[in-house]
């Protein structure tokens, strides 16, 4: 999550970090390893308790410099909803 934050990938759209689940370390990581990540939205849903946000689940994979999978996890976030504009309706 630190890499995600330092790169400003969410541009202020994350309202809250709601959880981390299904964490699985697949291989060791060593000093000087170069780690890159991929994220995929696996589900999203409205929240009755928050009119401005919804719950988003993302699958996280982390790889080392040899493209070996070193970590799998599911990240759960509460994210801001986009405003519906006339151009998105048409």
């Amino acid at each position: 999550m630190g890499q995600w934050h330092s790169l400003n990938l969410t541009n202020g759209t994350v309202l809250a970090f709601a959880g981390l689940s299904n964490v699985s370390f697949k291989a060791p990581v060593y000093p000087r390893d170069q780690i890159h990540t991929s994220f995929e939205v696996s589900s999203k849903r409205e929240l009755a308790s928050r009119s401005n946000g919804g719950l988003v689940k993302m699958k996280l994979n982390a790889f080392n410099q040899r493209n070996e999978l070193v970590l799998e996890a599911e990240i759960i976030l509460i994210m801001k909803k986009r405003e519906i504009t006339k151009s998105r309706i048409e």
Side-chain angles (χ1 to χ4, degrees), residues 17-54:
F17 179 79
L20 187 63
S21 64
N22 302 321
V23 178
S24 179
F25 295 95
K26 301 297 188 177
V29 174
Y30 300 100
R32 293 182 293 284
D33 275 356
Q34 296 176 6
I35 304 300
H36 64 276
T37 56
S38 70
F39 293 88
E40 178 183 337
V41 174
S42 54
S43 68
K44 63 179 184 171
R45 69 176 174 88
E46 301 267 340
L47 287 176
S49 61
R50 295 194 80 132
S51 61
N52 67 333

